[in-house]
């Protein structure tokens, strides 16, 4: 389930030496790396046990884990901080020693990454990586093969350390997951070279017909492309310039981003989710409009707010929806008929393989006859590289948008010929 | 990927305007001063490295084989198709004597 990462092997940044002195001249003649500045993130200087963290919100999280989470060995409350990861994980030192699975899978290495990435974001260092590029030159193509080629061909700041990657990929994961699926130079190929099925190619071809108007015969401009994000949480709070990266990859188009769900609108002053009867519309510029709907999708669907759907112009994204989780599955059961009826492509992501496997199993158990597979489950090339932690169970480590899967309501009903 | 900005910067360093359009962000891919590629750039180039090397061998092989062929072809030529005027041994001995005599006079 989890790929093992050794924090000792994590890449460290090579900071540019700005002072011109004799030492730096000799170093540059010998092609040596300049000495690292003390504020550069390393696994050592970003490691603090969460109980004694310099950041108060991490101390609060540690206290929350101690009160709410249960030790996997003794099933009692958590009272012991793992010395490797600095995160409270077990009831006592004995329980920590007895947890053979924890040590065999080296889960503490991932927990340590959670720890150091969280401290890096709060370290107050310079974040040159958040200086995002603007419009792409027409003659320079973007290589979407992976994060590294994307950052280089889009001319982001050189992301030399995993700390920089973690900070930026967590934000860009949402727009880039969408872009990588829809783009004409998508890194996802058709079967057998990739995960896209024939039905998937049909849906993506319809969307690309709209996304690349210069390549089609009719120049008629229809309404904007609508990207629906159901159960929106983090994605609805992303700053506009992060979503704007999506429109730099598809120039001269207008996108309407519809964030749907009770957590789609954050009242920043009060720090809680707001409710609004009417959709809240924010216009970033001519190319991008954000529409926040605080109702559930099935309510809006029954009110025909989005009618008519068009598979050429509409696409749904379910970022870790938790279709099968007991708290939300009843709501998804109400929304799913409308989603399948729309015949538009649906892509869903998962926190980790077990999470998406549960969702896919739930779909196949309930809607196997009504849906077509567009894209087989696979690790998302544009998932976040930052490791996260479930506060209710510190043994569940995950990454945002780690896995991706695509499906759609069946379009062609087979007719029996006997 | 044949075009490497580092070699281009070396070859066309007089054409400052090309790189003046390069943003500050793009310049972070090379260490200032020694133009060493950053880890991010090395990672981005990694999937293409061996195929680029194979391409280098093919293209370099074409020009190298042209040079080698030309060199071997030219060194094989003993100029036997160029006519030498016919001369008998007696005439040659006379000519040699005249030559020696002129040498001694000097």
């Amino acid at each position: 389930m989890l790929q093992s990462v050794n924090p000792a092997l994590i890449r460290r940044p090579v900071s540019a030496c700005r002072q011109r002195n004799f030492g730096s001249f000799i170093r540059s003649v010998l092609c040596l790396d300049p000495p690292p500045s003390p504020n550069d993130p390393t696994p050592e200087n970003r490691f603090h046990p969460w109980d004694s963290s310099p950041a108060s919100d991490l101390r609060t999280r540690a206290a929350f884990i101690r009160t709410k989470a249960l030790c996997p060995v003794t099933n009692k409350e958590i009272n012991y901080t793992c010395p490797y990861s600095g995160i409270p994980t077990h009831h006592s030192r004995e329980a920590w020693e007895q947890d053979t699975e924890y040590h065999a899978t080296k889960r503490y290495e991932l927990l340590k990454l959670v720890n150091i990435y969280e401290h890096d974001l709060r370290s107050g260092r310079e974040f040159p990586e958040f200086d995002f590029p603007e419009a792409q030159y027409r003659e320079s193509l973007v290589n979407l093969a992976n994060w590294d080629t994307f950052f280089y061909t889009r001319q982001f700041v050189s992301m030399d350390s995993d700390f920089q990657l973690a900070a930026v990929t967590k934000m860009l994961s949402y727009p880039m997951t969408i872009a990588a699926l829809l783009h004409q130079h998508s890194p996802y190929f058709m079967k057998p070279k990739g995960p896209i099925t024939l039905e998937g190619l049909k849906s993506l071809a319809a969307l690309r017909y709209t996304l690349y108007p210069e390549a089609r015969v009719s120049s008629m401009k229809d309404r904007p492309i609508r990207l629906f994000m159901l159960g929106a949480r983090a994605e609805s709070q992303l700053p506009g310039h992060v979503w704007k990266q999506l429109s730099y990859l598809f120039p001269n188009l207008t996108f309407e981003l519809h964030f749907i769900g009770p957590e789609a609108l954050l009242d920043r002053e009060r720090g809680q989710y707001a409710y609004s009867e009417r959709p809240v519309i924010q216009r970033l510029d001519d190319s991008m409009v954000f529409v926040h709907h605080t109702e559930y999708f099935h309510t809006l669907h029954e009110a025909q707010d989005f009618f008519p759907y068009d598979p050429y112009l509409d696409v749904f994204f379910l970022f870790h929806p938790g279709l099968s989780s007991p708290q939300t599955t009843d709501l998804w059961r109400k929304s799913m008929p409308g989603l399948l009826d729309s015949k538009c492509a649906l892509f869903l992501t998962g926190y980790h393989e077990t999470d998406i496997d549960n969702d896919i199993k739930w779909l196949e158990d309930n809607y196997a006859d009504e849906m077509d597979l567009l894209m087989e489950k696979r690790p998302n090339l544009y998932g976040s590289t930052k490791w996260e932690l479930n506060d209710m169970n510190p043994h569940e480590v995950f990454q945002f948008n780690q896995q991706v899967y695509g499906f759609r309501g069946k379009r062609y009903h087979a007719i029996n010929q006997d | 990927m044949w075009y490497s900005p580092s070699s281009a910067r070396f070859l066309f360093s007089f054409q400052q305007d090309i790189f003046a359009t390069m943003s500050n962000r793009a310049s972070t891919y090379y260490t200032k001063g020694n133009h060493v590629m950053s880890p991010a750039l090395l990672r981005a180039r990694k999937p293409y490295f061996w195929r680029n090397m194979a391409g280098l061998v093919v293209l370099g092989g074409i020009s190298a084989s042209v040079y080698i062929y030309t060199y071997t072809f030219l060194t094989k030529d003993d100029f036997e198709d160029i006519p030498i005027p016919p001369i008998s041994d007696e005439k040659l001995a006379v000519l040699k004597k005249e030559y020696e005599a002129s040498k001694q006079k000097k």
Side-chain angles (χ1 to χ4, degrees), chain A residues 131 143 148 155-156 158-159, chain B residues 25 28-29 38 40 43 48:
Chain A
D131 173 22
N143 184 337
D148 294 322
Q155 298 208 334
F156 275 78
S158 173
M159 312 271 175
Chain B
R25 285 183 308 274
T28 59
Y29 284 94
S38 75
R43 268 181 285 136
Y48 306 96

Side-chain angles (χ1 to χ4, degrees), chain A residues 137 152-156, chain B residues 3-9 15-31 35 41:
Chain A
Y137 288 113
Y152 179 55
T153 51
R154 272 289 281 139
Q155 298 208 334
F156 275 78
Chain B
Y3 170 86
S4 136
S6 66
S7 58
R9 195 180 300 191
Q15 281 183 322
Q16 287 297 319
D17 54 321
I18 291 181
F19 298 103
T21 59
M22 238 161 101
S23 65
N24 287 330
R25 285 183 308 274
S27 66
T28 59
Y29 284 94
Y30 296 93
T31 315
H35 301 299
L41 179 53

Side-chain angles (χ1 to χ4, degrees), chain B residues 51-69:
Chain B
R51 272 176 289 169
N52 278 355
M53 285 300 120
L56 179 73
V57 168
V58 169
L59 287 188
I62 290 171
S63 42
S65 57
V66 168
Y67 277 112
I68 291 166
Y69 171 76

